[in-house]
């Protein structure tokens, strides 16, 4: 179908909390999420990042699309949370450019289905050479301070790849 980006909940919340959600719009123009991810985002909650997420939906560069792959989502639902299961089903159905997901188990299931995966770190690494981010390290620090978990080996590797 289309080669857009499909996203899971975690990366969207993480980027929104550190006011870097717009990196996705600048790099990929649009993002699609399934209904379960939209619900998990808690946009009406008042949590940090909720207003940024709400604005992205209002501006329609993040949109909601249901998957027709209910069998896939149901099959995965026993092992993954609803957002991850629906995001994988939608990414597979749309032949997405990639699935934006950081959860290790979700990434493993997506890869087993042949879906390319990228996490927040990959977005940051794409933003620097595109001239959208001057440095990756401050964003990694902000994510950590906001409670977004990225392992030390991953952080070190990202900083090395970014030349920082």
């Amino acid at each position: 179908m289309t080669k857009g980006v499909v996203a899971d909940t975690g990366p969207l919340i993480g980027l929104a909390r550190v006011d870097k959600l717009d990196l996705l719009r600048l790099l990929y123009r649009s993002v699609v999420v399934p209904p379960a991810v939209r619900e998990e985002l808690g946009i009406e909650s008042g949590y940090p990042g909720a207003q940024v997420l709400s604005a992205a939906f209002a501006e329609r560069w993040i949109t909601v699309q249901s998957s027709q792959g209910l069998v896939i989502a149901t099959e995965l639902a026993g092992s993954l949370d609803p957002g991850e299961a629906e995001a994988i089903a939608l990414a597979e159905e749309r032949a997405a450019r990639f699935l934006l997901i950081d959860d290790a188990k979700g990434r493993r299931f997506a890869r087993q289905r042949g879906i390319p995966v990228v996490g927040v770190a990959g977005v940051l690494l794409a933003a620097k050479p595109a001239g959208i981010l001057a440095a990756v390290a401050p964003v990694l620090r902000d994510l950590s301070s906001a409670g977004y978990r990225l392992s030390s080996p991953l952080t070190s590797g990202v900083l090395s790849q970014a030349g920082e």
Side-chain angles (χ1 to χ4, degrees):
M1 281 187 136
T2 182
K3 284 287 190 183
V5 174
V6 174
D8 184 33
T9 310
L12 296 177
I13 290 174
L15 289 169
R17 284 186 177 174
V18 298
D19 202 25
K20 294 297 181 196
L21 187 67
D22 209 37
L23 292 176
L24 298 174
R25 183 185 60 78
L26 295 169
L27 286 167
Y28 312 114
R29 295 180 41 193
S30 65
V31 174
V32 177
V33 299
V37 167
R38 168 66 172 84
E39 187 175 315
E40 289 173 358
L41 289 172
I43 291 173
E44 292 79 22
S45 68
Y47 288 128
Q51 287 182 336
V52 173
L53 286 161
S54 180
F57 280 97
E59 294 165 7
R60 303 192 53 78
W61 67 266
I62 297 182
T63 58
V64 179
Q65 182 180 341
S66 295
S67 169
Q68 303 305 311
L70 296 177
V71 172
I72 297 167
T74 303
E75 175 187 313
L76 295 173
S79 302
L80 303 171
D81 74 38
E84 291 164 349
E86 284 188 20
I88 290 170
L90 185 60
E92 183 172 58
E93 180 180 299
R94 290 177 54 92
R97 178 177 178 180
F98 64 82
L99 172 62
L100 178 60
I101 185 169
D102 274 332
D103 177 78
K105 193 174 191 182
R107 289 170 72 95
R108 187 175 68 248
F109 274 88
R111 282 188 182 118
Q112 288 171 351
R113 300 189 79 85
I115 301 166
V117 297
V118 171
V120 168
V123 170
L124 300 179
L125 286 171
K128 185 174 178 181
I132 299 168
L133 273 183
V136 171
V139 181
L140 290 174
R141 279 192 299 274
D142 291 347
L143 285 163
S144 179
S145 295
Y148 199 79
R149 292 176 291 170
L150 296 170
S151 71
S152 293
L154 175 64
T155 300
S156 296
V158 168
L159 292 172
S160 175
Q161 286 181 31
E164 297 178 33

